[in-house]
Amino acid sequence: MVIALLAVSFLTLAVTAVVPNVPAMIAAAVVSIAVEVFLYRSQRGLVAMFAKMHVDTTVRHLVRDLLIVVALVRLQEQDDEGGMAGPLLVLLAFYGLHFAIQAVSVVVRRARTTPVLTRNIDTSGLPLTAAPPALLLRRPGHRLLILGLPATAGLLGAGASGEALWGVAGAGVSALAALAGLFVLGSHLLPGRRPPSEAAVLAWFDAWLAEYKPTIGMYFSGGAASAYQANMWLEPLAKLDGRPVIVLRERFMMQKITATDIPIVCLPQVHHLMRLEHSTLQALIHPSNSGKTSQVLRIPTIKHTFVNHGESDKLSSCNPYAKAYDEVWVAGPEARERYALADVGVEDKDIVEIGRPQLDGIVTYKGAPQGEYTDVLYAPTWEGWDGNPGNTSVVAAGENLVRALLADPKVRLVYKPHPLTGSVDPRAGAADLRIRELIRAANRGRTGARPGPEAVAELARRTAELDRLTTSTFRESADNLERMMLQTAPEPGRAAAVTAATSAWVEAYWAALPAWEHQIVTDARPDIQTCFNRADLLISDVSSVISDYMASGKPYAVANTSGLSETAFREAFPTVRAATVLTPDAAGVPALLERVRDPELDDLREARAELKLRLLGPSEPPSQVRFNDAMRALCESALQHRRRMTEREAHIPGQRAAAPTGDPELTTG
C-alpha cells in the first residue's frame, strides 16, 4: 500500500510535468511527502530497501522537485511569461549546500571516529566534545526531507498563485537553513572542538589498562542478530573472581550488549587489539566463532577458551574451529563424547566440564500442571545453513503441531520462533507467518476474563523502569558511535538493580496476560528461560533449546522431520533419548498432553534425570562454582606461560620483553 501510494504520487507528478495541472501536482506532492515521513517514522525496512535499489530519499526528493519545476516551466510557457529562473537558481543553491553538508559530514565523522570505544569506564580524562546533531552528521535523507520542505512548499505555492516569488522565498528559506547547518557542522572541525587524536586516545587506553589491571574477560564479534550469544554470559562472567572486561570488535555491538557493570571496550582495528598483549589480561571466554576470532588468538600472553552459546547434537556444536582455542568448556560428559566421536582435532585433555551457569534460575519439575491450563512452549529452531530438512520443524510439521495443540481447549500455547527463521529458506518464513495467523484466529475464538487495568498499569510501570535501567547505559548524545565514550563510570549496583527489575517485569508480564490466551513471543523479553519456567511442556527441534530445558526436568517432545525412523532418530541425536518423538502429522500430540497432565503416565521421568546429568553435569558443586574454578585454573596456566616466556627472553640478547606477568593473586581478584 505504501509503495503503491508513493509510485502513484510520482507518476502523477510526472504526468503534471507534461500536462500541467496545479491541483493534481499539489495533491501528488503532498501525498509523496506524507509517505516519506511515514517511511522514516515506522517503515525503516522499506527505507533500506529503496536505498539498495538506488532510489533513496535524496534521489526521490530531487526527482520530486525537478518534476515540480518542469511543471512550473510548462505553466509559464502557456502564459507566455518568464520568471522561473529565480526559484530555479535558489533551489540549485540549496541542493549545492546540501551536498556540501554531506561532504563535510564525512570529514567530521572521520575526525570523530575514535580508535577505542568504551562503556562503564570513566573517560573524564579525555577531552571529549559533544557531537554535532545527528540530522547533520548521519542522516542525509532525513536532512534533505526536512530542510527541503520549505523549497518544495514554495514551488507548489508558485504553481498555485502564478507568482515566482513564492518559489524564491521557499527555496531561500531552505538554502539559509542548509547554510546554517553547514556552519554548525564545519565548526566541529575547529581546533578547539576537535576530539583527541588517535595517539592521545590510545595513550589514555593504555593508562586505563595499567590502572584497572583486567585479569579475565569475554571476546565477542558478530552480526547484530548474534548479540544474544554474548548477553547470556554477562551474569556468569560478572560473578567470577577477578577483574573482568568485555572486548568487542564492531562499533554497533556496543549498543547490543545489555546492561552490565563490566567494563566494555571496542577495538575495531586489529593493530589496536594487539595492545592487550601488554596488559594483565590472562584469559578470555569466547561464546562464538567469527572471522575476527583468529586475530585475538594471535596474542600469546592470553589463554582462550570456547564456551559456546548453547549445545546440541548438531554438527555446529563440535566445529573443527574449536581446536584453535587453548581449552573448550562444555556443560557435561555428553558434549565431551560428542567431540570425541566427531574427531575434529579437539583433544580430550583440553575439554573442561563446567555445566551451564546461566541455568541456575530454571524452575524444576513439580509434577502435573498447577493451573487450569497446560502451558505448552513451542520453540522451533531455524532452518540452518546446510539445508537439512531435519533442522527445523516449522516447514514440515509446524502448522500440524500448532493445530493439534490449539484443538485442545485446556492448552495455552506460547510460540517462540527462532529470530533467524526464514532468513535462509523462504518456506520457513512463510510457514512461520501462517502459524502466527493460526494462533491469532484461535485467540479470536476464545473468551474469558482479562486482567484489570491495575495489572496493565503495573506492567507499563515495570517496563518503564526496566527500560530506564537498561537504556541509561548510554548518556544522551546525537552521535550514536561516540556516546559510549561520553559516559562516566557506571552507577554502582546498577547490574543488581537490573536483575531485580527484570524479575519484577517478568512477574508483571505474565500477570497482565489472560491465562487462556495463546501468546506469540518474538521480542527479546521475555527470554527463552522465562518461557521455560512458565511451560509445563516443551516442543522443539534438535537444538540447544532442548539441552537448556533439561535443567527443568520437565517433559519435552522433539519433532522428527529428518526422514529417519524413530529408532534411528533417537540413535542419531542423544538429546532425544528422554523425549517424546512427534511425527510431522502431529498425531501423537493428544497422548502427549495426557501424559503431561497425569504424572502416573510419565514413563520418561527417570530417563530425563539421567539425560540431564549427561548433558549438564552434576548439580553439586553448582555450575557457577565449576565455571569459576575452571577460570582460576586457566588464569594460572596463563601466568605460568608468561613466566616461561620471560625466562626464555631473558637469555636472548635484544629480545623484546614479554608482556607484564602481573601479580598471581590477580586470578582471585
Side-chain angles (χ1 to χ4, degrees):
M1 181 63 178
V2 174
I3 297 177
L5 275 176
L6 196 62
V8 169
S9 65
F10 272 94
L11 181 61
T12 304
L13 283 172
V15 171
T16 59
V18 178
V19 183
N21 184 302
V22 174
M25 177 182 68
I26 294 175
V30 170
V31 169
S32 68
I33 292 174
V35 172
E36 297 282 5
V37 173
F38 175 75
L39 287 173
Y40 261 93
R41 289 179 63 89
S42 58
Q43 298 290 326
R44 302 309 292 268
L46 286 178
V47 172
M49 183 190 75
F50 282 131
K52 291 179 181 178
M53 296 167 61
H54 301 289
V55 285
D56 59 11
T57 307
T58 301
V59 173
R60 296 196 300 273
H61 199 87
L62 182 59
V63 170
R64 178 168 47 244
D65 283 350
L66 179 62
L67 291 174
I68 294 173
V69 168
V70 171
L72 293 180
V73 170
R74 296 279 293 147
L75 284 170
Q76 293 293 331
E77 289 176 350
Q78 291 179 1
D79 295 338
D80 295 325
E81 296 179 4
M84 284 307 301
L88 183 57
L89 288 174
V90 181
L91 184 65
L92 290 175
F94 161 68
Y95 274 100
L97 289 169
H98 164 74
F99 289 114
I101 292 176
Q102 186 62 17
V104 174
S105 70
V106 173
V107 177
V108 173
R109 284 202 306 271
R110 289 178 178 175
R112 298 186 65 83
T113 301
T114 57
V116 181
L117 276 77
T118 67
R119 266 177 56 184
N120 300 332
I121 298 175
D122 186 354
T123 58
S124 58
L126 279 173
L128 295 168
T129 58
L135 184 69
L136 300 175
L137 193 64
R138 300 188 178 279
R139 301 175 184 172
H142 200 188
R143 177 178 68 238
L144 181 59
L145 183 62
I146 292 176
L147 298 186
L149 190 58
T152 303
L155 293 175
L156 294 175
S161 66
E163 296 290 337
L165 182 61
W166 285 102
V168 173
V173 171
S174 291
L176 288 174
L179 185 62
L182 184 61
F183 174 79
V184 170
L185 196 59
S187 68
H188 285 266
L189 294 175
L190 297 174
R193 305 195 67 179
R194 281 180 171 269
S197 65
E198 177 178 303
V201 174
L202 292 175
W204 168 86
F205 178 60
D206 290 340
W208 176 80
L209 285 173
E211 179 183 1
Y212 177 64
K213 293 184 174 62
T215 58
I216 57 177
M218 174 172 66
Y219 176 92
F220 190 74
S221 172
S226 65
Y228 74 94
Q229 300 170 357
N231 288 331
M232 69 172 61
W233 285 99
L234 294 180
E235 188 173 351
L237 181 65
K239 292 179 179 178
L240 290 176
D241 295 334
R243 285 187 284 279
V245 66
I246 297 172
V247 181
L248 305 177
R249 300 302 305 282
E250 291 80 20
R251 294 173 181 270
F252 66 81
M253 192 63 69
M254 295 292 285
Q255 298 179 70
K256 299 295 182 180
I257 301 299
T258 56
T260 177
D261 285 339
I262 301 174
I264 304 176
V265 297
C266 178
L267 300 163
Q269 299 298 320
V270 64
H271 57 285
H272 297 148
L273 178 71
M274 293 298 116
R275 304 179 89 86
L276 296 177
E277 180 178 357
H278 303 287
S279 73
T280 54
L281 190 59
Q282 299 162 14
L284 288 172
I285 65 171
H286 296 257
S288 68
N289 300 311
S290 74
K292 295 180 181 178
T293 301
S294 62
Q295 296 171 349
V296 75
L297 293 180
R298 301 175 190 174
I299 301 179
T301 57
I302 301 175
K303 291 292 184 178
H304 304 269
T305 180
F306 182 57
V307 295
N308 213 334
H309 53 273
E311 295 178 1
S312 73
D313 293 322
K314 293 181 180 178
L315 293 177
S316 58
S317 287
C318 46
N319 193 310
Y321 194 99
K323 64 189 173 193
Y325 301 94
D326 296 290
E327 293 183 355
V328 176
W329 294 357
V330 299
E334 188 68 44
R336 181 187 292 274
E337 292 184 12
R338 188 181 299 122
Y339 272 107
L341 291 173
D343 192 22
V344 293
V346 177
E347 298 186 30
D348 187 73
K349 66 180 179 62
D350 295 327
I351 297 178
V352 180
E353 298 176 25
I354 65 166
R356 285 279 284 168
Q358 298 89 346
L359 305 180
D360 290 346
I362 297 295
V363 176
T364 55
Y365 181 60
K366 295 181 179 178
Q370 304 298 307
E372 178 182 357
Y373 293 90
T374 302
D375 288 313
V376 180
L377 171 63
Y378 178 38
T381 190
W382 66 304
E383 55 269 27
W385 300 113
D386 57 8
N388 190 324
N391 285 343
T392 179
S393 59
V394 169
V395 177
E399 293 171 83
N400 293 333
L401 290 169
V402 168
R403 286 194 186 95
L405 292 168
L406 297 177
D408 191 310
K410 291 301 180 181
V411 163
R412 184 208 203 182
L413 174 62
V414 176
Y415 174 55
K416 188 172 178 62
H418 193 284
L420 296 179
T421 298
S423 60
V424 171
D425 188 345
R427 296 178 304 162
D432 170 54
L433 294 177
R434 292 194 297 270
I435 288 172
R436 298 187 192 200
E437 185 51 41
L438 285 173
I439 295 172
R440 295 188 187 100
N443 279 334
R444 290 193 291 269
R446 277 192 167 188
T447 59
R450 287 186 172 275
E454 300 83 4
V456 177
E458 176 67 7
L459 176 59
R461 187 176 71 83
R462 293 296 185 182
T463 301
E465 173 63 11
L466 186 54
D467 287 345
R468 183 190 68 80
L469 287 168
T470 54
T471 58
S472 64
T473 301
F474 310 105
R475 178 185 292 179
E476 288 298 326
S477 169
D479 186 345
N480 290 338
L481 293 186
E482 279 197 350
R483 58 182 176 177
M484 279 68 73
M485 291 291 290
L486 290 175
Q487 65 177 359
T488 56
E491 177 185 338
R494 183 167 55 81
V498 169
T499 301
T502 301
S503 178
W505 180 88
V506 167
E507 184 176 346
Y509 174 82
W510 295 110
L513 298 175
W516 51 266
E517 187 177 64
H518 306 297
Q519 299 299 324
I520 301 171
V521 179
T522 55
D523 293 335
R525 299 196 301 251
D527 61 19
I528 187 68
Q529 294 182 16
T530 298
C531 295
F532 285 171
N533 288 339
R534 294 292 303 187
D536 300 305
L537 166 69
L538 167 71
I539 299 178
S540 187
D541 307 320
V542 175
S543 68
S544 60
V545 170
I546 293 176
S547 301
D548 286 354
Y549 188 77
M550 292 304 301
S552 71
K554 292 186 284 190
Y556 71 104
V558 180
N560 179 12
T561 57
S562 65
L564 300 173
S565 66
E566 180 175 334
T567 301
F569 187 58
R570 290 184 184 277
E571 290 178 354
F573 304 106
T575 54
V576 184
R577 293 172 189 161
T580 297
V581 176
L582 296 174
T583 53
D585 61 6
V589 167
L592 170 62
L593 292 172
E594 186 178 353
R595 289 196 298 273
V596 171
R597 290 163 177 158
D598 186 355
E600 295 296 328
L601 301 177
D602 184 6
D603 56 353
L604 292 171
R605 184 170 183 175
E606 291 185 4
R608 291 197 301 272
E610 294 175 1
L611 185 57
K612 174 183 176 181
L613 186 63
R614 287 193 55 77
L615 291 177
L616 303 176
S619 300
E620 293 295 333
S623 181
Q624 183 67 41
V625 173
R626 285 184 282 157
F627 183 37
N628 195 53
D629 290 344
M631 181 59 76
R632 281 176 171 268
L634 191 62
C635 286
E636 180 57 34
S637 175
L639 290 173
Q640 292 177 1
H641 176 70
R642 292 189 184 198
R643 294 188 190 103
R644 291 194 296 270
M645 288 178 62
T646 303
E647 291 172 358
R648 282 198 303 268
E649 291 166 358
H651 294 85
I652 303 176
Q655 178 69 33
R656 174 175 58 87
T661 60
D663 188 331
E665 292 183 359
L666 288 177
T667 58
T668 63

